[in-house]
Amino acid sequence: MKKIEHYITGKWTTGTEEGTPIHDAITGETFASVAIEGLDIPEILNYGRTKGGQQLRKMTFQERGNMLKSLALYLTKRKEQFYELSYRTGATRVDSWIDIEGGFGNLFANASLRKLFPNQPYHVEGDPIDLSRGGRFMAHHIMVPKKGVAVHINAFNFPVWGMLEKCAVNWMAGVPAVVLPAPSSSYLAEAVAKEIVGSGILPEGALQIINGTVKNILDTVESQDVVTFTGSATTGRLLKAHPRLIEESVPFTMEADSLNASILGEDAVPGTPEFDLFIKEVRNEMTVKAGQKCTAIRRVIVPENLVEDVQMALGKALDKVTIGDPRLKEVRMGSLVSRQQVQAVRDSVKDLAKEAQIVYGNLDTIETIGADSRKGAFISPIVLRADHPFQNTIIHEREAFGPVSTIMPYKSLDEGILLAQMGKGSLVSSIATNDDNIAKDYVINAASHHGRILVLNRESAKESTGHGSPLPYLVHGGPGRAGGGEEMGGVRGIKHYLQRTAIQGSPTTITEITGIYQQNARYKEADQHPFKYHWEDIQPGMSMKTHNRTITDTDIINFSNITWDHFYAHTDITSLDGSIFEKRTAHGYFIISAAAGLFVYPNKGPVAANYGLEECRFLRPLYHNDTIYVRLTCKQKVDRDVASAEHPSGIVKWYAEIFDANTDEKVAFATVLTIMQKKQETFVEMTDNNIKEYLSNLKETTKPKWGIMTPQHMIEHLEYTYKIAAGEIQDFEVATPEKILDKVHASLYNYQKFPRNTKFPTMEKDTLEALIHPNLEQAVEKFLEQREKYKSFFKANPDAKLNNIVFGEMNRYEWYLLERKHLNHHFEQFGLL
């Protein structure tokens, strides 16, 4: 029998005892066990803080985000193996999709948040604060990674999603994780963790996993650690009160199961789309994951005159739900995770039935397809009805964590809101209504008791993610019984693992600390025009002062005529009485345009494009005959991803200050964004001289660093590709599939090397083609001749486009890019570079 392993302190290991048995939820078979005896918990936590934390904290947000993206892609390619294991938990394919690919989706989503953080290991939050009248003493806030570990105590229902939705956030923040999955589904978390560790994408120590219940896990946590818990409210409250958490002031985030409510609006009567949507949503939330969701609908609150209609419609919808082996296509609901969970749900339903009536389902009988209901952890969907929800309070206090919901009536929306609030705090609520006034009334008055509220109607239905779907960019948590914590929430979630610190000092000092130029900081005079530098060489504070320009009457009149902006201050000087203007006034946007004319460098260089403006202010009017100059200063650098046909680049934010040349008074400013290309330092330029020099070192006996090519095979291969580049060979089909051709074509522009052992489409794998020329010397001669033909072709046909077998149609510049990459690849292969 398999023993579930833990990954701790850099190795896979198991507990020393026999362990607790784990059963297949469908067949009841005992197939694994989990044991935690013998694990040194203090050592595990300290390993994460030191080994994993030190490496993660050094990485920038961009590096961490790209790491998550790579991990998400890696896991997605291996997803099918996880589905097979997930069936053992009782989950259907759809249930597993939410858990598995939803978990990977969290990695993707959090990876994209790197764009909202600076390209450095720590974050700069909010706006600068001036603390002095002279502008020489200021403050800002920075957020740095905590120097601890994130301890995640997870529930059984989502072993993949539950792990990755938390880890994605702490990894983005630069904090390592120690994950504790619930034992009953830990084998699935273990499988994913093995792939994560095996990928080598994360730094060692970034992830440790203890597959089992460790009761002393909180005994040695420290103030820099963060603890999260997902599970029952009762257990969560016990953990939250742990003396060590209180003594060390350890942040504790709790996401507890809650009595989530869904409201049927008074306008959503039978026959309306909203009524049908409501019934469908309740059915889905009862049966997806067999109701084992912390966000499932537990209380169905409907107008009192519609109780019978809802009861009948919901019953008919549940009649269509087939239960059984989740591997079967016809099965729509699987089992609970274990027989113990079935008993817990039965006990809860019996308690609820003391004050509510079971109107659908049976605790004692169930029909299953392809499975023995006596051996598996199966249970029927159960609908209860409580006609007196203000007197029968157990329905607002006791949760059955399975396919169980209770219908209850309300007389007015105010009553409906009060009933929703009686759950004492939930993760999510929803309302089905096509009346936006009803929606507003409910949301505003119910929001105090819910972490998320969904308004469902005919307009949003097709694209709605549903009542029970937490999203990475939204806060997941809720007040009161739901735990009072927050998870995910986009940038908010990442900040949970960062320490916010206020910093004070001079603008120059704060500029150096934050990496963002602050007003009144000392300028760093550039040695040349800043637009002549590549992205890597530009630094915050780098600055230049332009020459002057005098604004004339003619400038203002011409700008009015070109733009059709004939505002009276620019065109009618007889109407200035009572206004803030004294003379004919220059357009604000003319001032910005004139400023650009002063600071723009005209020649082609690293500037790829103007990206826009972030802020623009006009501090006082400028009149005809006023003279201005500009001070252009690098404010901030922001990295960017490039997926299209353009060279790698980053965004530079330039602080453009416009001054009155006569008084040196600042009259306007704007933050201008430009896309600046990055330096190409990967490839050697393939000039005639360089190529001849490299080939002079190529011998018949030269051995390749990879692959099976001989020197002559390599040269003849290059000659063949030059025949394609010269248009001599074009009778072929492009080998790259159409759906990825654009992406492959765009890769010509990046600075990444071709992967080693890349197979050319016309070549047989692991087979050398017959040589054409008698020896290497003649092969080189023919190669150089063919290269000259390629150059001559594009000299005579500069606008020509020719097909390439891999990259599709290419212009002259793209053939140059390919030549550079291709020759570098093979010259490096034979040690010539």
Side-chain angles (χ1 to χ4, degrees):
M1 184 170 61
K2 172 182 170 59
K3 203 175 212 183
I4 305 300
E5 293 183 279
H6 319 285
Y7 186 73
I8 53 175
T9 61
K11 59 184 181 297
W12 288 99
T13 187
T14 58
T16 55
E17 302 297 325
E18 183 177 341
T20 304
I22 296 176
H23 305 283
D24 187 303
I26 303 302
T27 65
E29 170 200 0
T30 302
F31 69 94
S33 67
V34 59
I36 50 89
E37 291 78 14
L39 304 185
D40 189 334
I41 301 303
E43 181 187 11
I44 293 168
L45 298 183
N46 193 56
Y47 183 82
R49 296 181 193 114
T50 53
K51 182 71 173 179
Q54 288 175 1
Q55 296 184 69
L56 280 172
R57 288 192 296 271
K58 291 177 182 177
M59 299 172 70
T60 68
F61 282 102
Q62 310 303 317
E63 290 170 335
R64 295 175 200 145
N66 285 320
M67 174 184 74
L68 292 194
K69 183 179 179 181
S70 296
L71 182 59
L73 291 168
Y74 182 89
L75 292 174
T76 300
K77 292 178 181 178
R78 293 156 176 79
K79 64 184 180 182
E80 287 304 323
Q81 62 180 300
F82 307 132
Y83 277 100
E84 285 303 313
L85 276 177
S86 186
Y87 287 131
R88 285 185 176 272
T89 71
T92 65
R93 178 83 186 190
V94 172
D95 298 337
S96 299
W97 179 84
I98 297 170
D99 183 30
I100 295 168
E101 297 190 52
F104 302 163
N106 264 278
L107 293 174
F108 278 120
N110 278 277
S112 71
L113 295 177
R114 67 192 183 277
K115 303 169 187 175
L116 303 180
F117 289 93
N119 189 33
Q120 52 193 24
Y122 52 92
H123 180 49
V124 181
E125 185 186 47
D127 297 321
I129 303 162
D130 186 5
L131 300 176
S132 66
R133 292 183 178 179
R136 298 298 173 186
F137 183 57
M138 64 167 296
H140 222 313
H141 288 88
I142 62 171
M143 302 189 74
V144 300
K146 292 179 179 290
K147 294 189 175 181
V149 292
V151 178
H152 299 311
I153 305 170
N154 291 341
F156 65 81
N157 51 342
F158 289 101
V160 183
W161 185 89
M163 172 170 64
L164 295 183
E165 61 102 356
K166 295 181 176 70
C167 287
V169 178
N170 63 249
W171 288 332
M172 270 300 293
V175 175
V178 177
V179 180
L180 289 83
S184 56
S185 57
S186 60
Y187 50 91
L188 183 51
E190 175 209 31
V192 175
K194 285 202 168 185
E195 287 293 345
I196 292 174
V197 172
S199 74
I201 293 171
L202 297 182
E204 171 54 40
L207 173 65
Q208 296 182 91
I209 184 169
I210 304 173
N211 288 298
T213 301
V214 182
K215 295 183 178 180
N216 65 337
I217 188 67
L218 301 183
D219 290 352
T220 54
V221 293
E222 298 177 355
S223 60
Q224 288 288 306
D225 298 331
V226 176
V227 177
T228 73
F229 168 78
T230 300
S232 75
T234 303
T235 303
R237 285 192 289 268
L238 290 173
L239 294 176
K240 194 173 184 178
H242 193 287
R244 184 70 176 182
L245 297 184
I246 299 170
E247 179 185 345
E248 291 282 317
S249 297
V250 178
F252 182 85
T253 295
M254 177 174 160
E255 186 258 281
D257 307 327
S258 56
L259 292 159
N260 311 295
S262 188
I263 316 298
L264 182 66
E266 292 173 292
D267 63 307
V269 297
T272 63
E274 285 68 35
F275 183 88
D276 295 338
L277 289 168
F278 179 78
I279 297 300
K280 181 180 179 181
E281 198 72 16
V282 175
R283 181 201 65 191
N284 288 347
E285 289 303 315
M286 288 184 66
T287 57
V288 169
K289 290 289 286 189
Q292 298 171 115
K293 293 172 63 183
C294 55
T295 54
I297 296 171
R298 305 301 180 196
R299 297 178 297 148
V300 183
I301 303 174
V302 304
E304 62 179 358
N305 63 316
L306 298 179
V307 169
E308 294 290 344
D309 296 293
V310 169
Q311 180 180 321
M312 291 177 60
L314 183 56
K316 290 179 180 178
L318 289 171
D319 284 341
K320 299 176 182 178
V321 176
T322 50
I323 305 169
D325 187 341
R327 295 175 179 84
L328 301 177
K329 291 181 180 180
E330 60 268 34
V331 168
R332 294 294 176 266
M333 188 178 103
S335 70
L336 301 188
V337 74
S338 65
R339 297 291 298 175
Q340 291 85 349
Q341 188 62 26
V342 171
Q343 189 58 50
V345 172
R346 289 172 60 89
D347 291 344
S348 294
V349 171
K350 288 178 180 178
D351 282 346
L352 291 171
K354 294 175 183 177
E355 296 183 358
Q357 177 187 1
I358 297 178
V359 294
Y360 183 91
N362 192 307
L363 288 177
D364 299 317
T365 60
I366 181 172
E367 293 185 9
T368 54
I369 300 174
D372 188 337
S373 61
R374 295 167 299 177
K375 294 180 179 179
F378 293 99
I379 192 169
S380 166
I382 301 290
V383 178
L384 298 102
R385 173 172 164 174
D387 290 330
H388 305 286
F390 288 101
Q391 288 77 41
N392 302 333
T393 56
I394 194 171
I395 58 178
H396 306 297
E397 298 169 356
R398 183 69 183 266
E399 180 185 25
F401 200 70
V404 181
S405 291
T406 303
I407 300 172
M408 59 194 75
Y410 71 85
K411 294 180 180 179
S412 66
L413 185 60
D414 287 342
E415 268 199 9
I417 293 169
L418 185 57
L419 287 173
Q421 292 172 345
M422 288 177 70
K424 297 182 179 179
S426 79
L427 296 171
V428 58
S429 180
S430 58
I431 181 167
T433 177
N434 198 41
D435 187 324
D436 288 338
N437 291 320
I438 291 176
K440 179 180 179 180
D441 193 1
Y442 180 75
V443 168
I444 298 304
N445 290 289
S448 59
H449 285 62
H450 307 289
R452 176 169 58 88
I453 297 178
L454 165 71
V455 179
L456 186 63
N457 62 23
R458 65 195 72 180
E459 183 180 354
S460 65
K462 287 185 178 180
E463 298 180 11
S464 171
T465 51
H467 169 103
S469 300
L471 298 174
Y473 299 125
L474 303 181
V475 167
H476 180 48
R481 178 192 170 99
E486 292 184 357
E487 293 180 359
M488 300 191 297
V491 170
R492 294 181 186 88
I494 295 171
K495 289 182 178 180
H496 186 64
Y497 297 90
L498 301 172
Q499 174 61 47
R500 181 181 290 106
T501 302
I503 56 173
Q504 298 169 278
S506 72
T508 301
T509 299
I510 301 299
T511 292
E512 292 303 313
I513 294 173
T514 61
I516 301 173
Y517 175 78
Q518 310 293 335
Q519 288 192 47
N520 299 316
R522 286 195 300 269
Y523 301 119
K524 301 174 183 176
E525 296 292 346
D527 294 332
Q528 57 183 350
H529 195 292
F531 285 7
K532 296 173 72 173
Y533 291 96
H534 285 86
W535 189 80
E536 296 90 340
D537 295 329
I538 299 171
Q539 298 301 324
M542 179 182 283
S543 181
M544 83 160 191
K545 179 182 176 181
T546 71
H547 53 279
N548 296 348
R549 172 172 178 171
T550 299
I551 299 167
T552 67
D553 247 359
T554 303
D555 290 332
I556 299 171
I557 293 169
N558 286 342
F559 194 82
S560 290
N561 291 332
I562 291 171
T563 62
W564 292 8
D565 179 354
H566 297 294
F567 185 63
Y568 76 91
H570 315 311
T571 58
D572 184 6
I573 59 174
T574 65
S575 301
L576 300 181
D577 291 347
S579 72
I580 63 171
F581 308 108
E582 299 173 2
K583 307 176 189 178
R584 188 187 306 281
T585 306
H587 303 68
Y589 296 113
F590 171 73
I591 301 303
I592 296 298
S593 299
L598 289 171
F599 66 67
V600 164
Y601 183 71
N603 297 348
K604 185 177 180 180
V607 177
N610 178 355
Y611 198 58
L613 299 175
E614 270 195 345
E615 59 180 347
C616 180
R617 296 290 184 274
F618 307 114
L619 305 179
R620 74 159 174 79
L622 281 170
Y623 304 117
H624 64 91
N625 295 328
D626 281 349
T627 301
I628 62 170
Y629 68 87
V630 180
R631 169 64 75 169
L632 185 72
T633 307
C634 172
K635 181 178 181 179
Q636 187 180 4
K637 295 166 60 180
V638 180
D639 211 344
R640 69 187 289 258
D641 295 326
V642 176
S644 57
E646 59 177 302
H647 290 303
S649 59
I651 296 169
V652 178
K653 299 181 180 182
W654 301 95
Y655 185 48
E657 301 169 279
I658 303 167
F659 294 91
D660 185 322
N662 296 319
T663 63
D664 286 330
E665 176 189 5
K666 188 188 298 185
V667 295
F669 65 86
T671 298
V672 180
L673 281 63
T674 59
I675 297 177
M676 307 294 292
Q677 288 184 357
K678 297 180 179 179
K679 288 190 290 188
Q680 192 291 108
E681 298 179 315
T682 304
F683 305 113
V684 176
E685 290 298 330
M686 287 298 156
T687 63
D688 294 347
N689 290 336
N690 281 346
I691 290 173
K692 290 176 181 177
E693 179 185 345
Y694 299 140
L695 291 180
S696 67
N697 296 318
L698 185 65
K699 310 298 182 188
E700 291 276 9
T701 56
T702 304
K703 300 295 183 182
K705 295 181 178 179
W706 66 86
I708 61 173
M709 277 188 174
T710 68
Q712 186 171 338
H713 279 96
M714 182 268 287
I715 293 297
E716 291 190 5
H717 164 66
L718 292 177
E719 179 192 357
Y720 175 76
T721 59
Y722 274 123
K723 288 181 178 179
I724 297 174
E728 296 177 19
I729 300 175
Q730 286 286 292
D731 57 340
F732 54 79
E733 295 291 331
V734 175
T736 304
E738 184 69 28
K739 64 180 180 180
I740 62 169
L741 182 58
D742 285 347
K743 183 177 180 181
V744 172
H745 183 92
S747 70
L748 288 169
Y749 288 80
N750 67 36
Y751 300 154
Q752 298 172 16
K753 297 178 179 180
F754 287 152
R756 294 185 174 188
N757 294 309
T758 301
K759 177 185 168 292
F760 192 67
T762 62
M763 293 181 175
E764 292 292 330
K765 186 177 180 182
D766 301 326
T767 302
L768 288 173
E769 296 184 352
L771 293 171
I772 299 172
H773 304 298
N775 53 52
L776 176 60
E777 183 180 357
Q778 289 192 33
V780 169
E781 183 180 334
K782 292 296 183 182
F783 156 75
L784 293 174
E785 288 178 6
Q786 191 59 49
R787 183 170 181 270
E788 288 301 319
K789 292 179 182 179
Y790 147 72
K791 290 163 58 181
S792 297
F793 174 82
F794 276 108
K795 186 174 182 179
N797 305 279
D799 298 324
K801 293 184 178 180
L802 296 173
N803 270 338
N804 177 273
I805 294 177
V806 175
F807 300 98
E809 191 176 71
M810 292 164 50
N811 61 30
R812 180 183 187 178
Y813 183 68
E814 289 164 344
W815 279 104
Y816 151 73
L817 294 175
L818 176 59
E819 178 193 32
R820 186 173 68 184
K821 275 196 173 192
H822 198 198
L823 267 62
N824 270 263
H825 174 77
H826 286 296
F827 286 3
E828 182 181 348
Q829 179 185 17
F830 282 87
L832 305 180
L833 297 183

